[in-house]
Amino acid sequence: VVQGAALDESLYEDLEAVLITADVGVATTQRLLERLRERVRAEGVRDAEAVPQLLAEEMRAVLEAVAAPPATPAGRDEPLVVLVVGVNGSGKTTTTGKLASRYRKEGWRVVVGAADTFRAAAIDQLERWCQRSGAELVRQHPGADPAAVAFDALQAARARGANVLLVDTAGRLHTRVNLMEELRKTVRVLQRLDPTAPHEVLLVLDATTGQNALAQARHFTDAVGVTGIVLTKLDGTARGGMVVAIADQLGLPVKWVGTGEGADDLAPFDPAEFVRALFDGGPAGGGA
Amino acid sequence: MAFEGLAEKLQSVFKRLRGKGKLTEADVEAALREVRLALLEADVHFKVVKDFIARVRQRAVGQEVLESLTPAQQVIKIVHDELTQLMGGQQARLDLGGAPPVPVMLVGLQGSGKTTTAAKLARLLARQGRQPLLVAADVYRPAAVEQLVTLGQQIQLPVHAPGTDRDPVDIAREGVAEARRRGRDVVIIDTAGRLHIDDALMEELERIRQAVAPREILLVVDAMTGQDAVNVAETFHRRLGIDGVVLTKLDGDARGGAALSVRAVTGRPIKFVGLGERVDQLEPFHPERMASRILGM
Ligand SMILES: Nc1nc2c(ncn2[C@@H]2O[C@H](COP(=O)(O)OP(=O)(O)OP(=O)(O)O)[C@@H](O)[C@H]2O)c(=O)[nH]1
Ligand SMILES: Nc1nc2c(ncn2[C@@H]2O[C@H](COP(=O)(O)OP(=O)(O)OP(=O)(O)O)[C@@H](O)[C@H]2O)c(=O)[nH]1
Ligand SMILES: [K+]
Ligand SMILES: [Mg+2]
Ligand SMILES: [Mg+2]
């Protein structure tokens, strides 16, 4: 990143540019750089080229400290219930489709609940995804109560002996109190059938999102107990650095990353790979 | 409401500045450092912030300001001016001049709000006496066509939607012909979301542009976008020559810095803002008003 740079203030400025332009955010960037300066002092580092590596290690440590694997249907008697939530357009339906496909390929029986009954043609979109993977869609009419759809879907999943239930929900901004309450209700209704459900609540974040991601993570966690993040659209030039801030400040792990619009463009999160990509190519847009 | 966080931060910086009476160069520097952080926290792009601060510093640190009777007031005015400039100065309207049917094309990243905005815009124009035709040129996203058709029904406006086994360039061209035939005077073309680095899909947009020569190419940008907004806007602008920006999802608490960045790197104005999911939630953008609101003036 900063080859040949002297170990002086300008090195830290360059690294600040890398972190800020990757959307790590001001607070976490400052915290990371402070820790870095301490380490450089404590370890008596003289070689400027070693410093970015140390920063990468610090970031990886932040992500690894909270890491957790995705929930699996293996060894369960009852369906694994996964609720997919997030703001508008982040990639929930696509992620639901990809997950269904992935679980199907692993040989599980998958039911998908179309609990976005609001957005135009959201149900049709999900139906296309299910047709591709052989997952079974449970749907009602547009405008139906989303909680009722989720309830139906869990009932169907149990009746059919499915291993996984994925529930796609409507996009909502975390500032919309009534819509967040609707999500809470969906959880309560699921819990009438299975008090341990949902076993996974995935917050889908668009990697191009800036600092608002932190507010999203905070509010969705307060409302429905997010268990992990899906970071989508990493195939673009955005680096998704706000997940470092979210790990640092909220302790939430990333579980999956989305890298395209195809069924196979979903992978388990790999902190080392993520941090490497974040530093590759230096500051987006030519920063420093 | 969007921009609120930025507004609060800047206002507290200025409150401290006002409390000082006489200002030294160091006072201004300290305030500028805080303004810088506030803008970065609001997702304004790193480089845009750097240039912005440099411009304000150049105007604010001179003797004229520091030795004036109301130095704090002057510094705040400079920031306000520069912020208004950054947002594009005057309000910019849609240009639908020329022989009808006038094509308008919506482009942008996946999920930014193009399809919704297409319907909102059609509705708005219809209320101004225009006769829009919507064109469904996203043949890739599952059920993208159905989405636009459903929205068209909601707003009771026609949609040209020949399906998904067609080339989007042909769909757009035929859409314009169809509008001419039916006496519709505006054609709003919804395109598939795409990454700015997806060469094949960017080229497809260039071909649509060549085929129908849109009067307005509007880049639809999510207000929650972070630092990448400049890459996206720069690339779309370089390849297509955009005429304006629609900033969506401003109904949340996004600090909206992308708005400032996009305008700064493309020189193209924000023309509309999206304030909700409903088809009636689209409004013209007023830069001066927004700058005033951010600064609490
Ligand atoms: N490039 C890329 N595009 C993606 C990815 N994930 C989703 N998309 C695209 O992003 C757009 C929005 O995805 P959706 O799955 O509809 O998003 P959503 O969160 O369900 O949207 P709403 O239900 O309207 O809130 C679509 O065009 C998807 O194809 C990804 O990992 N990479
Ligand atoms: N809250 C809010 N939601 C919006 C706004 N504009 C669009 N949306 C929502 O954002 C999501 C994505 O909108 P679309 O219109 O499907 O976006 P798109 O750009 O066409 O998506 P692709 O075609 O998949 O690239 C949907 O859930 C919309 O309802 C807005 O101004 N505010
Ligand atoms: K990326
Ligand atoms: Mg969806
Ligand atoms: Mg669309």
Side-chain angles (χ1 to χ4, degrees):
Chain A
V1 184
V2 280
Q3 270 161 7
L7 214 172
D8 59 14
E9 220 24 56
S10 77
L11 171 62
Y12 290 104
E13 276 168 26
D14 287 352
L15 291 173
E16 184 197 37
V18 173
L19 297 184
I20 293 288
T21 52
D23 291 315
V24 171
V26 171
T28 298
T29 293
Q30 288 181 340
R31 200 147 41 223
L32 282 167
L33 289 179
E34 249 160 61
R35 250 180 264 164
L36 182 66
R37 283 173 196 273
E38 260 163 47
R39 251 187 99 175
V40 166
R41 244 194 321 271
E43 296 174 18
V45 180
R46 310 221 73 89
D47 178 10
E49 278 175 41
V51 177
Q53 191 50 43
L54 291 183
L55 178 58
E57 274 173 33
E58 288 296 329
M59 293 178 81
R60 227 175 63 204
V62 168
L63 292 167
E64 277 166 359
V66 301
T72 164
R76 308 186 68 94
D77 300 328
E78 292 286 319
L80 172 76
V81 179
V82 180
L83 186 68
V84 182
V85 304
V87 298
N88 306 87
S90 61
K92 295 170 295 298
T93 304
T94 306
T95 299
T96 304
K98 290 175 180 176
L99 280 171
S101 167
R102 188 178 176 102
Y103 284 125
R104 286 287 300 137
K105 278 187 189 149
E106 290 172 8
W108 306 109
R109 183 159 184 184
V110 180
V111 169
V112 174
D116 179 359
T117 58
F118 178 77
R119 214 212 59 204
I123 302 171
D124 301 308
Q125 183 186 0
L126 193 60
E127 187 168 48
R128 296 289 158 77
W129 276 101
C130 290
Q131 283 162 355
R132 286 183 195 168
S133 65
E136 302 159 48
L137 185 71
V138 173
R139 58 181 291 179
Q140 290 183 16
H141 56 91
D145 175 12
V149 177
F151 185 87
D152 270 10
L154 181 51
Q155 225 165 19
R158 291 173 128 194
R160 300 174 197 176
N163 308 97
V164 186
L165 169 66
L166 301 168
V167 181
D168 180 32
T169 63
R172 69 201 74 220
L173 298 184
H174 51 281
T175 48
R176 293 287 302 275
V177 176
N178 56 336
L179 294 182
M180 294 305 276
E181 178 50 35
E182 177 192 274
L183 212 49
R184 277 197 204 92
K185 181 182 161 197
T186 302
V187 167
R188 281 198 305 273
V189 165
L190 285 168
Q191 288 172 344
R192 270 194 235 145
L193 288 173
D194 178 353
T196 67
H199 309 101
E200 182 102 284
V201 178
L202 294 175
L203 173 65
V204 179
L205 286 181
D206 180 331
T208 53
T209 312
Q211 297 318 294
N212 195 249
L214 208 57
Q216 293 171 28
R218 200 171 278 131
H219 283 88
F220 277 98
T221 300
D222 285 350
V224 288
V226 172
T227 60
I229 286 164
V230 183
L231 188 60
T232 62
K233 311 185 195 175
L234 259 187
D235 44 328
T237 50
R239 306 230 163 79
M242 78 284 178
V243 298
V244 181
I246 289 171
D248 181 42
Q249 296 177 44
L250 306 178
L252 271 180
V254 185
K255 297 213 167 179
W256 302 98
V257 295
T259 54
E261 299 185 78
D264 297 327
D265 298 325
L266 182 79
F269 179 64
D270 176 350
E273 172 61 32
F274 174 83
V275 171
R276 198 175 311 124
L278 191 144
F279 278 91
D280 263 1
Chain B
M1 177 60 202
F3 291 112
E4 220 164 58
L6 178 58
E8 268 167 35
K9 280 263 158 64
L10 291 180
Q11 284 170 40
S12 84
V13 175
F14 294 146
K15 201 167 154 205
R16 267 198 302 279
L17 213 52
R18 277 202 198 91
K20 287 202 169 259
K22 200 109 195 86
L23 289 188
T24 65
E25 209 169 306
D27 291 331
V28 176
E29 278 304 328
L32 287 183
R33 258 198 308 281
E34 287 183 75
V35 171
R36 174 179 181 268
L37 289 183
L39 291 172
L40 287 176
E41 277 171 0
D43 291 322
V44 183
H45 188 264
F46 194 78
K47 274 198 74 178
V48 174
V49 173
K50 202 170 175 170
D51 296 346
F52 178 86
I53 295 293
R55 278 199 305 278
V56 174
R57 177 184 290 119
Q58 207 205 347
R59 289 179 58 187
V61 178
Q63 300 223 320
E64 244 161 87
V65 171
L66 293 181
E67 283 166 16
S68 74
L69 288 175
T70 52
Q73 218 41 54
Q74 302 240 17
V75 172
I76 294 166
K77 184 177 175 305
I78 292 169
V79 176
H80 181 266
D81 283 357
E82 291 292 337
L83 210 53
T84 307
Q85 274 315 308
L86 208 53
M87 290 201 194
Q90 294 298 305
Q91 190 207 332
R93 290 169 199 285
L94 212 57
D95 170 17
L96 296 181
V102 180
V104 175
M105 175 160 85
L106 299 178
V107 301
L109 293 183
Q110 288 94 343
S112 59
K114 295 172 294 301
T115 306
T116 309
T117 301
K120 288 175 173 180
L121 190 58
R123 180 184 173 278
L124 196 72
L125 293 176
R127 300 192 131 222
Q128 294 168 2
R130 291 279 184 161
Q131 298 197 302
L133 174 73
L134 286 157
V135 175
D138 177 358
V139 300
Y140 308 107
R141 229 267 330 257
V145 173
E146 286 85 342
Q147 185 185 355
L148 192 66
V149 167
T150 305
L151 289 168
Q153 283 162 357
Q154 270 177 35
I155 56 178
Q156 296 179 304
L157 287 172
V159 182
H160 176 67
T164 56
D165 52 2
R166 304 286 311 284
D167 183 344
V169 181
D170 294 334
I171 295 176
R173 192 185 292 114
E174 286 169 17
V176 175
E178 172 83 0
R180 189 168 292 122
R181 211 160 31 240
R182 293 169 70 168
R184 314 296 302 181
D185 56 9
V186 185
V187 183
I188 299 174
I189 305 166
D190 178 33
T191 64
R194 66 202 72 213
L195 293 172
H196 52 297
I197 52 171
D198 185 330
D199 198 51
L201 284 183
M202 290 303 286
E203 200 196 303
E204 178 189 279
L205 289 181
E206 292 168 348
R207 286 190 292 123
I208 296 180
R209 188 195 54 184
Q210 256 165 24
V212 306
R215 184 79 189 184
E216 290 266 350
I217 300 180
L218 297 176
L219 178 67
V220 180
V221 178
D222 184 327
M224 296 178 279
T225 312
Q227 298 280 313
D228 202 39
V230 298
N231 294 331
V232 173
E234 243 163 17
T235 313
F236 271 95
H237 187 45
R238 179 161 44 75
R239 297 200 65 154
L240 296 168
I242 63 168
D243 300 289
V245 173
V246 181
L247 196 65
T248 61
K249 311 181 198 175
L250 258 185
D251 42 322
D253 60 355
R255 298 206 174 156
L260 304 182
S261 307
V262 164
R263 160 72 217 198
V265 299
T266 63
R268 290 295 183 268
I270 296 164
K271 295 197 169 174
F272 293 97
V273 293
L275 291 165
E277 294 189 73
R278 287 199 329 258
V279 287
D280 59 349
Q281 293 174 313
L282 184 76
E283 289 179 10
F285 180 69
H286 300 282
E288 211 277 331
R289 265 188 236 168
M290 199 58 92
S292 297
R293 205 162 87 198
I294 290 176
L295 297 177
M297 295 168 85

